[in-house]
Amino acid sequence: MCIAIIADKTFPSEVTLRLFEARNSDGIGVAYRDNGIVNWSKGIDLTDLLDIGANTNGPWLIHMRLATVGSPSKALAHPFPLSGSLEINGSGEDVLIHNGHWKDWQQNLLLKGNKIPRGEYSDTRAIAVMTGWYGSGFLDVYGDDLGSVALMTSDTISRYGRWYWDKRDSIHISNTHGLYESITVKSARKGEKDQKIYEDIRDWSDKRIANYLAREKKFAFTYEEMGWDYGIR
């Protein structure tokens, strides 16, 4: 399960991005507009992403990949330009990001008589290629079947499928996996069932967040070795 993020005006916090990256570690990518020109960079790390966020103006599309279709290569990280190019850095084209799984992408790609771009494929690259062929009407028709898709052009960002609003960071996200942890509260009364609740991990103490990330095996060190100041409290 990847994570796709639309940040219109405010770049996501470092805590939010680290929590998402812990579960989606197969490639980070970002797109942003500069004077009406769409720019993208992918196959980057979190430090690169934070640097881009600090030195560019919104809006931004951000994607963190968990490879399920296609290899975990830089080329198959998101965003994808609608030309279907596999360039890891580029500008001047409309691009999209995607979270979900489109099981019918191979047969649909072959239905059109156009020349299919060469190179390795994922379902998202196929979605980008077909959106380039058919226009955004393709996403209007198939959007709900694809999962969550965001399309950035020189003047708009369009959402297709299912998205959630995260009021903490003022961003749209394709899922909440990684931000909320299931907690079982033991009942104090005999005969009552234990209650399961969901806590926003970003409300935890710095030490608890750091140890959570260490348990996710993304980071091979603990809170004491990190020394981060999350600025949550």
Side-chain angles (χ1 to χ4, degrees):
M1 178 69 72
C2 305
I3 181 67
I5 303 170
I6 303 171
D8 289 307
K9 298 179 181 179
T10 305
F11 201 74
S13 69
E14 181 177 349
V15 174
T16 295
L17 293 174
R18 285 192 181 278
L19 288 169
F20 278 138
E21 188 204 19
R23 294 192 176 187
N24 304 281
S25 58
D26 290 329
I28 298 174
V30 61
Y32 59 92
R33 281 201 295 263
D34 183 15
N35 294 321
I37 297 175
V38 176
N39 301 271
W40 76 89
S41 184
K42 60 186 185 176
I44 61 177
D45 61 23
L46 189 60
T47 300
D48 296 327
L49 177 62
L50 292 169
D51 185 61
I52 290 171
N55 291 285
T56 58
N57 296 317
W60 302 270
L61 297 184
I62 301 168
H63 190 275
M64 296 179 175
R65 186 173 182 232
L66 181 62
T68 54
V69 180
S71 70
S73 65
K74 290 185 177 182
L76 290 184
H78 305 205
F80 285 95
L82 301 194
S83 65
S85 166
L86 291 175
E87 292 183 49
I88 61 174
N89 298 287
S91 64
E93 295 188 57
D94 298 346
V95 300
L96 60 74
I97 59 175
H98 165 237
N99 173 206
H101 178 55
W102 189 31
K103 65 179 181 179
D104 299 326
W105 68 271
Q106 290 170 306
Q107 50 265 52
N108 277 277
L109 191 64
L110 293 171
L111 287 176
K112 185 70 175 174
N114 292 2
K115 185 177 179 179
I116 299 174
R118 297 176 65 88
E120 57 183 333
Y121 266 85
S122 66
D123 53 347
T124 306
R125 188 188 181 201
I127 292 168
V129 168
M130 297 188 72
T131 304
W133 288 345
Y134 290 104
S136 60
F138 169 76
L139 298 175
D140 290 329
V141 173
Y142 283 94
D144 289 339
D145 296 329
L146 304 178
S148 307
V149 179
L151 172 66
M152 176 181 280
T153 69
S154 60
D155 58 357
T156 63
I157 292 180
S158 301
R159 300 190 310 271
Y160 303 88
R162 181 183 62 255
W163 290 86
Y164 301 89
W165 176 250
D166 177 18
K167 63 182 180 180
R168 174 75 67 90
D169 283 53
S170 297
I171 56 177
H172 284 95
I173 54 179
S174 58
N175 64 75
T176 61
H177 299 162
L179 291 188
Y180 295 91
E181 183 76 351
S182 175
I183 306 295
T184 300
V185 179
K186 295 290 184 181
S187 174
R189 295 184 178 181
K190 187 176 180 180
E192 283 190 354
K193 291 184 178 179
D194 295 340
Q195 183 181 5
K196 182 177 286 188
I197 62 173
Y198 288 87
E199 292 186 355
D200 190 324
I201 298 175
R202 294 166 295 180
D203 285 329
W204 293 0
S205 68
D206 293 356
K207 183 172 183 177
R208 191 177 176 192
I209 290 175
N211 289 336
Y212 169 83
L213 290 172
R215 287 198 306 274
E216 289 287 309
K217 299 182 180 179
K218 175 63 182 175
F219 305 103
F221 36 77
T222 62
Y223 168 77
E224 286 76 11
E225 296 168 304
M226 289 179 184
W228 290 335
D229 176 10
Y230 285 94
I232 320 182
R233 297 194 175 279

